[in-house]
Amino acid sequence: MGIRKLNDGGGSSTHSLPRVETPLLSGGGKPVVLSSQPKTFANVFIAIVGAGVLGLPYTFMRTGWLTSLVTVFAVSILTYHGMMLLVRTRRRIEESTVCSSSAKITSFGDLGFAVCGCVGRSAVDLMIVLSQAGFCVGYLIFIGNTLANLFTSSLALAAAAPTIWGFSAKTLYIWGCFPFELALNSIPSLTLLAPLSIFADIVDLAAMGLVMIEDALLFSRHMPPVEAFGTFSTFFYGLGVAVYSFEGVGMALPLESEMKDKSKFGRILCLTMIIIAAIYGAFGVMGYFAFGNDTQDIITANMGKGLLSTFVQLGLCINLFFTFPLMMNPVYEVFERRLWEGRYCIWLRWMLVLAVCLVALFVPNFADFLSLVGSSTCCVLGFVLPALFHYLTFKDEMSRRQAGLDLAVIVLGTSLGVVGTWYSLQEIFSVKV
């Protein structure tokens, strides 16, 4: 079936499955309390909804509101399908006689090793590193651009020159965050930082609600001209942002493991994806309908300079600032496992933070970068690898139709990733200087 033997049967731990820790969901050594259905719904929601939603209105402007709506719902269906493929594959492997109870599959990387050995784990590790680091680059771009938009215009120097002390405002704000991020990312345990992920999602939802209220008030008085369809190239641009917005596919296995009634996981996941897709669609449409062709790459930049707008934007910057070390933790786990025998290494973490900051300095547009990360890594993680692992596990017992579906998803995900990455890079490098 393409399943790797996880244990030699002698009880030795030297052949057990390598682990990828999931610190936000683990109890730090304490017994795990299994989640009820409402808690699982909340955990899935938190795992998927992120900062990518703030680039959706701009994407709707570039792609056309109707094209974008269809894309968002299509991506939600494909993401749900990919997450369920991971769950079914894990269940099948753990039911097999070759999987010992001492080597449970708790993560995406574990599943890759179980199906394809070191090659599978390496493929997952690479995509996890690129996607998680990409999310953090997006966070820094958002923080730098938002703070520059909020405060630079109030400076006397800003009226005379686009730079401050010879540097762009965005550059100064990102470098201002750098020493504090070094300190936060030096914390070996994320137990104290984990509650901040809840705060981040509360702020995200509050910001989305306030933006949508302002959008509704604006387009109820006057709706600017809007377009329903975009061009062929902008479709792939919008696809990348949509895929990015449905982040969290790697959390499917830990979340299903923590659920008390695992038979209901598919139903809860489906309901959550429908609700998130509806929220994303409404948020993107309302933002575009309110501002038309003036929609900014970060929708909060359209809110003006009022007290409420400033509060919302600062809140988002603060929550993304504290979410940064949480999102970078899987990157540290991969590098420390491969380069430092799994031990904590502060200088390695600092080098990775520096690398992320340097990338953020050279990408001017938030939504452009979302599209690149979504196309290049999230398509592989969300569509290609789940279908590939499912096919390799079930290929000897599935029908031609089932095999054809898996192969179709692999081809579709690969094609969308390659073409989307090409168009996203074109957008980034064609920015007017």
Side-chain angles (χ1 to χ4, degrees), residues 234-355:
T234 58
F235 163 74
F236 287 99
Y237 178 92
L239 176 74
V241 177
V243 174
Y244 180 105
S245 300
F246 285 93
E247 61 188 74
V249 65
M251 300 304 293
L253 298 180
L255 289 172
E256 194 260 353
S257 295
E258 286 199 338
M259 190 170 181
K260 187 180 300 182
D261 187 355
K262 294 178 175 53
S263 64
K264 303 288 180 61
F265 180 75
R267 184 184 307 173
I268 296 298
L269 179 62
C270 180
L271 175 63
T272 310
M273 296 299 287
I274 291 173
I275 292 174
I276 292 174
I279 292 174
Y280 281 3
F283 187 78
V285 166
M286 292 176 70
Y288 178 33
F289 282 9
F291 300 104
N293 291 332
D294 294 325
T295 305
Q296 300 294 313
D297 65 316
I298 303 172
I299 188 60
T300 50
N302 285 107
M303 294 183 68
K305 302 291 183 180
L307 181 62
L308 181 61
S309 170
T310 300
F311 175 78
V312 169
Q313 294 181 70
L314 283 178
L316 288 169
C317 288
I318 291 170
N319 90 62
L320 293 181
F321 177 83
F322 284 109
T323 303
F324 186 101
L326 305 178
M327 298 299 285
M328 282 294 290
N329 194 71
V331 179
Y332 301 144
E333 188 280 328
V334 170
F335 275 89
E336 288 173 348
R337 170 162 47 82
R338 291 184 172 273
L339 302 179
W340 213 248
E341 299 180 348
R343 292 177 285 115
Y344 171 83
C345 181
I346 188 171
W347 68 263
L348 185 58
R349 293 185 175 213
W350 284 5
M351 292 297 293
L352 291 169
V353 173
L354 175 62

Side-chain angles (χ1 to χ4, degrees), residues 14-27:
T14 59
H15 297 287
S16 61
L17 191 68
R19 299 282 180 184
V20 174
E21 300 298 331
T22 51
L24 295 185
L25 297 175
S26 66

Side-chain angles (χ1 to χ4, degrees), residues 58 62 237 365-372 424 427-428 431:
Y58 178 81
R62 296 290 307 276
Y237 178 92
N365 187 285
F366 178 69
D368 287 351
F369 191 76
L370 301 193
S371 179
L372 176 62
S424 298
E427 289 290 336
I428 289 175
V431 173

Side-chain angles (χ1 to χ4, degrees), residues 132-164:
Q132 296 294 123
F135 295 152
C136 293
V137 170
Y139 293 169
L140 291 179
I141 295 171
F142 177 90
I143 292 171
N145 287 345
T146 299
L147 293 180
N149 178 68
L150 279 176
F151 300 121
T152 306
S153 61
S154 64
L155 299 174
L157 288 174
T163 60
I164 303 174

Side-chain angles (χ1 to χ4, degrees), residues 67-335:
T67 302
S68 294
L69 271 180
V70 173
T71 302
V72 165
F73 279 93
V75 168
S76 71
I77 293 171
L78 285 172
T79 303
Y80 165 78
H81 180 69
M83 295 174 83
M84 289 307 300
L85 288 181
L86 293 177
V87 171
R88 293 180 190 124
T89 304
R90 191 260 297 277
R91 288 175 180 173
R92 179 67 184 88
I93 294 175
E94 290 188 340
E95 289 170 359
S96 67
T97 56
V98 298
C99 182
S100 73
S101 59
S102 64
K104 292 295 183 182
I105 297 170
T106 60
S107 71
F108 204 160
D110 291 344
L111 188 66
F113 182 83
V115 177
C116 299
C118 293
V119 173
R121 175 172 285 281
S122 296
V124 174
D125 282 351
L126 176 62
M127 291 299 107
I128 288 290
V129 166
L130 293 176
S131 62
Q132 296 294 123
F135 295 152
C136 293
V137 170
Y139 293 169
L140 291 179
I141 295 171
F142 177 90
I143 292 171
N145 287 345
T146 299
L147 293 180
N149 178 68
L150 279 176
F151 300 121
T152 306
S153 61
S154 64
L155 299 174
L157 288 174
T163 60
I164 303 174
W165 302 327
F167 297 95
S168 70
K170 170 194 165 184
T171 299
L172 286 179
Y173 286 122
I174 290 177
W175 280 126
C177 292
F178 179 68
F180 300 100
E181 286 295 356
L182 288 182
L184 283 175
N185 286 267
S186 300
I187 300 174
S189 171
L190 296 181
T191 304
L192 296 177
L193 291 175
L196 292 172
S197 65
I198 300 175
F199 166 74
D201 281 278
I202 292 174
V203 173
D204 275 344
L205 290 173
M208 288 170 62
L210 291 172
V211 171
M212 290 174 73
I213 290 172
E214 180 167 330
D215 292 344
L217 293 175
L218 285 173
F219 75 70
S220 64
R221 294 195 295 264
H222 171 70
M223 190 174 76
V226 294
E227 298 290 338
F229 303 98
T231 64
F232 182 75
S233 62
T234 58
F235 163 74
F236 287 99
Y237 178 92
L239 176 74
V241 177
V243 174
Y244 180 105
S245 300
F246 285 93
E247 61 188 74
V249 65
M251 300 304 293
L253 298 180
L255 289 172
E256 194 260 353
S257 295
E258 286 199 338
M259 190 170 181
K260 187 180 300 182
D261 187 355
K262 294 178 175 53
S263 64
K264 303 288 180 61
F265 180 75
R267 184 184 307 173
I268 296 298
L269 179 62
C270 180
L271 175 63
T272 310
M273 296 299 287
I274 291 173
I275 292 174
I276 292 174
I279 292 174
Y280 281 3
F283 187 78
V285 166
M286 292 176 70
Y288 178 33
F289 282 9
F291 300 104
N293 291 332
D294 294 325
T295 305
Q296 300 294 313
D297 65 316
I298 303 172
I299 188 60
T300 50
N302 285 107
M303 294 183 68
K305 302 291 183 180
L307 181 62
L308 181 61
S309 170
T310 300
F311 175 78
V312 169
Q313 294 181 70
L314 283 178
L316 288 169
C317 288
I318 291 170
N319 90 62
L320 293 181
F321 177 83
F322 284 109
T323 303
F324 186 101
L326 305 178
M327 298 299 285
M328 282 294 290
N329 194 71
V331 179
Y332 301 144
E333 188 280 328
V334 170
F335 275 89

